[in-house]
C-alpha cells in the first residue's frame, strides 16, 4: 500500500509511541483479522490498550500501563491497537467493547472477548499516574 507523505510522517512520529508498549511485551494488532483472531483464541485475561498520539496517552496512559505490569497479578495477554493509525483494527477492537463509547486512549481488561474492566479517556486525562495504576491493579487483583 502506498502511503502519502502525511501518512508516512505520522507513521514515523508514532513509532516510538508504539514501542513504549511493544518493548514491554505488547503485541500490536494492525488489521481487523488480527483483532478477530486474537479475541477468539486468546486464553485467559488480556490487557488491551487503545494507544494514541495525544498527550494523555504519552504522559499518563502508557506510563501507567507499564507500571501496572510490575504488579504481582497481571493479565496473561498484552495487546494494543493504535487509534488514528490502524483505524480498521481499532474499530474492530472497539466492536468488542460492547456498551463502551469509543475513547482514545483507553484500556480494557478482557477475557473470552468480554470486557471485565474498562478505563476510558475520562479516567486517564487529568488523573495521576498512580491513580490509573491503582485502577488497573485493582482490576488485576479481581480478575487475573
Amino acid at each position: 500500500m502506498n502511503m502519502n507523505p502525511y501518512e508516512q510522517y505520522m507513521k514515523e512520529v508514532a513509532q516510538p509511541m508504539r514501542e513504549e508498549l511493544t518493548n514491554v511485551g505488547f503485541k500490536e494488532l494492525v488489521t481487523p483479522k488480527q483483532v478477530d483472531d486474537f479475541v477468539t483464541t486468546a486464553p485467559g485475561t488480556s490487557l488491551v490498550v487503545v494507544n494514541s498520539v495525544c498527550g494523555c496517552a504519552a504522559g499518563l496512559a502508557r506510563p501507567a500501563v507499564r507500571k501496572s505490569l510490575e504488579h504481582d497479578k497481571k493479565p496473561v495477554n498484552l495487546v494494543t491497537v493504535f487509534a488514528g493509525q490502524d483505524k480498521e483494527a481499532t474499530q474492530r477492537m472497539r466492536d468488542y467493547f460492547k456498551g463502551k463509547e469509543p475513547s482514545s486512549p483507553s484500556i480494557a481488561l478482557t477475557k473470552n472477548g468480554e470486557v471485565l474492566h474498562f478505563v476510558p479517556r475520562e479516567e486517564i486525562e487529568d488523573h495521576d499516574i498512580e491513580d490509573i495504576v491503582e485502577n488497573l491493579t485493582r482490576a488485576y487483583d479481581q480478575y487475573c
Side-chain angles (χ1 to χ4, degrees), residues 1-13 84-85 87:
M1 166 171 79
N2 289 336
M3 279 191 244
N4 69 40
Y6 174 77
E7 290 170 330
Q8 183 60 40
Y9 171 77
M10 288 307 296
K11 182 176 170 69
E12 290 169 13
V13 166
Q85 297 283 308
K87 294 175 184 164

Side-chain angles (χ1 to χ4, degrees), residues 29-32 35 81 86-94:
L29 304 176
V30 297
T31 68
V35 170
V81 293
D86 304 317
K87 294 175 184 164
E88 295 85 8
T90 301
Q91 182 54 54
R92 186 63 187 130
M93 184 60 80
R94 286 177 172 153

Side-chain angles (χ1 to χ4, degrees), residues 58-77:
L60 297 168
R62 290 190 302 268
V65 163
R66 290 193 323 268
K67 184 150 183 61
S68 77
L69 296 176
E70 297 170 7
H71 193 63
D72 290 338
K73 285 186 172 182
K74 55 186 158 251
V76 175
N77 310 291

Side-chain angles (χ1 to χ4, degrees), residues 17-88:
M17 300 171 201
R18 292 173 182 274
E19 290 171 358
E20 276 188 72
L21 295 176
T22 59
N23 286 345
V24 295
F26 279 81
K27 178 182 179 193
E28 285 190 292
L29 304 176
V30 297
T31 68
K33 181 177 181 345
Q34 286 177 330
V35 170
D36 288 337
D37 290 349
F38 173 79
V39 170
T40 58
T41 63
T45 54
S46 301
L47 189 64
V48 180
V49 176
V50 178
N51 202 351
S52 110
V53 298
C54 74
C56 65
L60 297 168
R62 290 190 302 268
V65 163
R66 290 193 323 268
K67 184 150 183 61
S68 77
L69 296 176
E70 297 170 7
H71 193 63
D72 290 338
K73 285 186 172 182
K74 55 186 158 251
V76 175
N77 310 291
L78 306 173
V79 295
T80 181
V81 293
F82 207 112
Q85 297 283 308
D86 304 317
K87 294 175 184 164
E88 295 85 8

Side-chain angles (χ1 to χ4, degrees), residues 99-114:
K100 309 294 181 197
E101 289 294 317
S103 179
S104 303
S106 60
I107 308 159
L109 185 64
T110 68
K111 185 173 185 177
N112 301 325
E114 298 294 320

